[in-house]
Amino acid sequence: MNRRIVFATNNVHKLQEIRAMIPEGIKLLSLADIGCHADIPETADTLEGNALIKARYVAEHYGMDCFADDTGLEVETLGGAPGVHTARYAGEAHDTEANIDKLLAELADKDNRKARFRTAIALIVQQEEHLFEGILEGEIAPVRRGTDGFGYDPVFIPEGTGKTFAELGSDIKNRISHRALAVNQLIEYINHELS
């Protein structure tokens, strides 16, 4: 099997992460690879909705099989926030350090630090839509720890590890993460349904 599928993202880190998980025989193209430089708005109030907006944009404008993801960090004591606003938690600038600073400040006096990462992937192949979800339970560290990864990796401790994603490193993260869980379902579908 030799399939070309567009991953509707401009996030270089996500692209590298998913390219490392995709098996041979699937050529993963980015938005830049297909000449798409649009800033596709994420205006839905759910992760699934945002993923579908991005995937539908590529399918409609470029006529290619594609998938898109949206990921949210959901903190229990904050009522599921930042959730769909994870990347813009401290403002529209998508400033990772400011996002983490805001999160740590809001949890400073809280005992409950339970959180989960949730990834929704929308796949459109042959004009059919499919959704996949990956959830990873964990908690928020009181301070940044580790230097690997991106986003909230220095403060998210996956359940049962005792270490942040930034301490665990990308090899382990790519095996156990919320995104890996969703991508594995995506790959299984592609391998079994589309081969």
Side-chain angles (χ1 to χ4, degrees), residues 138-159:
E139 63 182 82
I140 303 300
V143 296
R144 291 171 174 82
R145 296 186 346 216
T147 56
D148 204 2
F150 66 98
Y152 292 84
D153 288 356
V155 295
F156 184 78
I157 303 170
E159 200 169 65

Side-chain angles (χ1 to χ4, degrees), residues 73 75 78 82 85-91 94-108 113 117 140-156 164-166:
L73 175 63
V75 181
L78 300 179
H85 304 292
T86 294
R88 301 174 300 281
Y89 195 40
H94 293 240
D95 184 329
T96 296
E97 295 307 312
N99 289 339
I100 292 175
D101 288 343
K102 180 176 179 179
L103 179 65
L104 293 179
E106 291 192 353
L107 292 178
R113 302 185 77 86
F117 260 120
I140 303 300
V143 296
R144 291 171 174 82
R145 296 186 346 216
T147 56
D148 204 2
F150 66 98
Y152 292 84
D153 288 356
V155 295
F156 184 78
T164 67
F165 268 148

Side-chain angles (χ1 to χ4, degrees), residues 51-71:
L52 280 166
I53 287 170
K54 292 183 281 188
R56 285 171 179 161
Y57 183 92
V58 172
E60 288 167 14
H61 289 83
Y62 294 88
M64 300 181 76
D65 290 344
C66 62
F67 69 91
D69 82 319
D70 198 20
T71 293

Side-chain angles (χ1 to χ4, degrees), residues 3-9 15 19 26-35 58 64-67:
R3 297 190 66 87
R4 288 157 49 94
I5 296 183
V6 178
F7 178 22
T9 188
L15 195 60
R19 273 194 174 135
I26 299 173
K27 182 170 178 60
L28 191 62
L29 303 173
S30 68
L31 289 175
D33 291 333
I34 63 169
V58 172
M64 300 181 76
D65 290 344
C66 62
F67 69 91

Side-chain angles (χ1 to χ4, degrees), residues 132-143:
F132 307 95
E133 180 184 63
I135 296 174
L136 184 65
E137 302 290 342
E139 63 182 82
I140 303 300
V143 296

Side-chain angles (χ1 to χ4, degrees), residues 106-117:
E106 291 192 353
L107 292 178
D109 61 348
K110 304 279 195 288
D111 293 328
N112 178 1
R113 302 185 77 86
K114 288 182 184 174
R116 68 180 190 169
F117 260 120

